[in-house]
Amino acid sequence: MRKKIVAGNWKMNTTVAEGVALAKAVVERSAEVPEGVDLIVAPPFTHLVSVAEVLKGSKVGLSAQNCANKAKGAYTGEVSVDMLVSAGCGWTILGHSERRQYYGETDALLVEKVRLALDAGLGVILCVGENLDEREAGRHFEVVTEQTKAVLFNFTAEEMAKIVIAYEPVWAIGTGKTATAAQAEEIHECIRKVLAQKFGQAVADDTTILYGGSCKPSNAKELFAQPDIDGGLIGGAALKADDFIGIALSF
Ligand code: PEP
């Protein structure tokens, strides 16, 4: 079912103590967020067990920011999907542009990660988005279409029910430059059309598609008012409970 979701990607920020305090503040203020708007936080791996404890019994879900592309074994430094589930995660973000850009993650690798995550029972927030050069060359529809197809066309219509897409134009992430509501909406509409070609209109209509890139309380309302924008994946503004909840109150 298509949902309204506001998810906070904390990236490599906060100590464990700071993360626990932030999670507590989010839980406290989550009572203000209306029924039907789901909240998710994605702290660093080291924080997951402690933050899971804070979120217990609340309406705030827990996500990782990444997972390994192997199930278990001799992969030093990696974190498996089973570890995430055992730490209390219900979700993992995959394919964030920072993973693609700095750690060389490809669509083929992401297919492996999505497969493992779904099989472990995790929901997936899959990020797609064009960089500045691609946008300036007018290739944004093409790039996002290709990323969507290359990863998601390996899964079934039933599996799509556990996958959320986050459209994050790379030029808007952490730059203060938000895509206009119209720029975001036309890409979201395009993603839904691509999904409809493969999985049918009902699946496309049921898929939750988030916008991410310098989303804040002051611009969330206009973005979330678009017919194909179902919420946000929030970076910087997710590090302050007031801003994060302010965004969730923008529907
Ligand atoms: C992100 O990296 O997922 C993101 C949307 O970051 P920011 O909100 O800081 O642009």
Side-chain angles (χ1 to χ4, degrees):
M1 243 262 291
R2 190 154 157 192
K3 292 181 180 147
K4 292 185 167 74
I5 297 178
V6 175
N9 173 13
W10 296 1
K11 308 192 185 187
M12 197 171 71
N13 293 299
T14 72
T15 61
V16 176
E18 288 165 350
V20 164
L22 176 56
K24 282 184 182 161
V26 169
V27 167
E28 252 164 48
R29 297 222 34 211
S30 66
E32 297 166 39
V33 176
E35 197 66 19
V37 178
D38 292 352
L39 297 176
I40 298 172
V41 293
F45 288 136
T46 45
H47 303 25
L48 290 172
V49 171
S50 312
V51 170
E53 203 54 44
V54 174
L55 303 185
K56 230 176 236 168
S58 80
K59 65 174 283 177
V60 185
L62 183 64
S63 178
Q65 300 173 16
N66 184 27
C67 71
N69 67 326
K70 305 288 182 198
K72 65 186 288 187
Y75 300 101
T76 303
E78 290 294 309
V79 177
S80 75
V81 288
D82 286 349
M83 293 172 190
L84 297 182
V85 171
S86 70
C89 285
W91 295 88
T92 184
I93 297 170
L94 289 173
H96 191 279
S97 63
E98 289 151 14
R99 301 289 325 163
R100 294 179 188 257
Q101 190 180 343
Y102 305 138
Y103 301 97
E105 294 203 359
T106 60
D107 291 327
L109 180 87
L110 292 170
V111 172
E112 297 175 0
K113 292 189 176 194
V114 174
R115 173 85 277 144
L116 286 165
L118 293 179
D119 289 350
L122 290 171
V124 168
I125 301 172
L126 177 76
C127 303
V128 296
E130 81 286 357
N131 64 31
L132 185 61
D133 288 349
E134 292 161 342
R135 163 73 53 173
E136 285 177 345
R139 296 185 52 232
H140 37 295
F141 290 105
E142 182 196 329
V143 168
V144 171
T145 297
E146 278 318 305
Q147 289 173 340
T148 304
K149 285 185 175 175
V151 180
L152 295 181
F153 280 20
N154 294 283
F155 298 92
T156 64
E158 290 68 38
E159 286 171 329
M160 283 303 297
K162 291 279 286 179
I163 298 174
V164 166
I165 300 172
Y167 167 57
E168 300 207 311
V170 180
W171 48 270
I173 295 179
T175 58
K177 277 188 205 163
T178 320
T180 64
Q183 282 173 323
E185 168 59 20
E186 63 183 3
I187 298 281
H188 283 231
E189 189 186 17
C190 163
I191 293 170
R192 229 178 270 289
K193 281 194 182 136
V194 171
L195 297 179
Q197 280 163 19
K198 168 80 175 169
F199 301 110
Q201 195 59 49
V203 170
D205 287 342
D206 275 352
T207 302
T208 303
I209 309 180
L210 310 179
Y211 167 78
S214 299
C215 186
K216 36 190 187 270
S218 59
N219 58 28
K221 208 174 192 65
E222 200 189 345
L223 287 159
F224 296 175
Q226 304 304 310
D228 289 295
I229 300 182
D230 305 312
L233 179 57
I234 317 301
L239 294 171
K240 288 193 183 136
D242 285 351
D243 287 350
F244 185 61
I245 297 296
I247 291 170
L249 294 174
S250 302
F251 282 102

